[in-house]
């Protein structure tokens, strides 16, 4: 079982890389005119950079590189292709989102891009294989349903976060809290005395990455926001 300290180091690296890159991203966005204008969904009074996803993607890459160099994660990197799937899918969905931030992508094209990212996850073994409906039961998916549910889950989650990226600190704050809860839950399930999370497992690493990049982004997104995630970050 990977130590808690190792996960916290990765989270801090993700936060530091995201926070450190954001001033450069803001400067480039203003120079290139990559700005979000005020509308009914955004409360800011002046045009504001909306390509925060660039800095967040930098945070992901920096943290994954650090994890690959940290001995505690050797089993995850050597015995599994899931980390490759996460990186490939992240790159696809980041590219799609940043293109939409800069020059607009039609809704059908955006859905298609998200589906492609989900297929990449499935290809490398990062899938939904069961889910719980509160107050009902845990449903274990058959092999036939795994790809479809994984695609639908990614479509739902990405668009849910994208819709709330308009109020200062809202999207990043919600994701940081949710991912933090998932990380603590995963750590508990991975405890040898419980043994419900098989090892190596990419879940806790992805959760702490999400916490780190959101915590690193939040100082620049609190009211009055200097930058928004944009589709490149929210998706």
């Amino acid at each position: 079982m990977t130590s808690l300290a190792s996960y916290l180091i990765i989270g801090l690296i993700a936060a530091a890389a995201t926070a450190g890159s954001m001033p450069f991203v803001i400067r480039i966005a203003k120079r290139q005119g990559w700005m979000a204008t005020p509308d009914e969904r955004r409360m800011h009074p002046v045009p504001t950079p909306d390509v925060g996803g660039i800095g967040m993607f930098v945070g992901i890459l920096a943290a994954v590189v650090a994890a690959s160099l940290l001995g505690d994660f050797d089993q995850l990197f050597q015995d599994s292709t899931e980390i490759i799937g996460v990186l490939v899918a992240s790159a696809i969905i980041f590219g799609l989102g940043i293109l939409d931030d800069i020059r607009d992508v039609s809704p059908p094209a955006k859905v298609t891009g998200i589906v492609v990212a989900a297929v990449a996850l499935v290809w490398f073994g990062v899938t939904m294989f069961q889910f719980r409906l509160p107050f009902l039961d845990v449903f274990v998916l058959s092999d036939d349903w795994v790809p479809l549910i994984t695609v639908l889950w990614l479509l739902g989650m990405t668009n849910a976060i994208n819709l709330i990226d308009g109020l200062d600190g809202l999207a990043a704050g919600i994701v940081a809290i949710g991912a933090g809860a998932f990380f603590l839950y995963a750590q508990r399930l991975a405890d040898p005395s419980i043994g419900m999370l098989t090892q190596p497992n990419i879940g806790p690493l992805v959760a702490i990455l999400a916490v780190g990049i959101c915590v690193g982004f939040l100082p620049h997104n609190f009211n009055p926001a200097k930058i928004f995630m944009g589709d490149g970050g929210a998706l």
Side-chain angles (χ1 to χ4, degrees):
M1 179 178 171
T2 305
S3 69
L4 178 62
S6 295
Y7 282 118
L8 293 180
I9 289 170
I10 298 305
L12 287 172
I13 290 172
T18 302
S21 64
M22 212 55 69
F24 299 98
V25 175
I26 293 171
R27 198 174 308 149
I28 293 170
K30 289 180 177 179
R31 188 181 306 155
Q32 297 295 328
W34 298 337
M35 313 286 278
T37 54
D39 58 26
E40 70 280 356
R41 195 164 62 89
R42 295 184 173 93
M43 305 301 292
H44 59 289
V46 296
T48 305
D50 66 343
V51 289
I54 297 174
M56 300 173 84
F57 191 62
V58 169
I60 290 174
L61 294 178
V64 170
V65 170
S68 70
L69 298 174
L70 203 62
D72 275 13
F73 296 95
D74 281 351
Q75 191 179 7
L76 183 62
F77 279 84
Q78 293 170 4
D79 300 342
S80 172
T81 60
E82 290 179 319
I83 192 69
I84 299 173
V86 169
L87 287 176
V88 169
S90 296
I92 292 170
I93 214 161
F94 165 69
L96 170 73
I98 205 70
L99 185 63
D100 188 47
D101 292 330
I102 294 172
R103 44 173 78 178
D104 287 335
V105 175
S106 68
K110 194 182 296 186
V111 170
T112 301
I114 295 171
V115 170
V116 171
V119 170
L121 288 176
V122 173
W123 181 266
F124 287 100
V126 187
T127 63
M128 294 283 291
F129 58 90
Q130 66 181 41
F131 63 93
R132 178 188 296 274
L133 288 181
F135 309 110
L136 291 178
D137 201 356
V138 174
F139 293 88
V140 179
L141 301 173
S142 69
D143 291 342
D144 294 336
W145 284 96
V146 162
L148 177 61
I149 298 300
T150 300
V151 169
L152 292 176
W153 190 260
L154 193 66
L155 278 168
M157 290 299 99
T158 50
N159 283 286
I161 301 304
N162 195 25
L163 284 172
I164 60 173
D165 179 38
L167 295 178
D168 300 353
L170 181 62
I174 286 176
V175 174
I177 293 169
F182 275 124
F183 173 71
L184 294 175
Y185 187 51
Q187 284 294 98
R188 178 62 177 158
L189 293 181
D191 189 304
S193 64
I194 297 176
M196 292 183 66
L197 200 67
T198 57
Q199 300 298 325
N201 196 292
I202 199 172
L205 181 60
V206 172
I208 203 67
L209 277 174
V211 174
I213 61 174
C214 288
V215 168
F217 177 71
L218 273 171
H220 303 278
N221 189 234
F222 280 132
N223 185 271
K226 303 181 187 70
I227 189 169
F228 292 106
M229 287 183 182
D231 280 16
L235 293 179

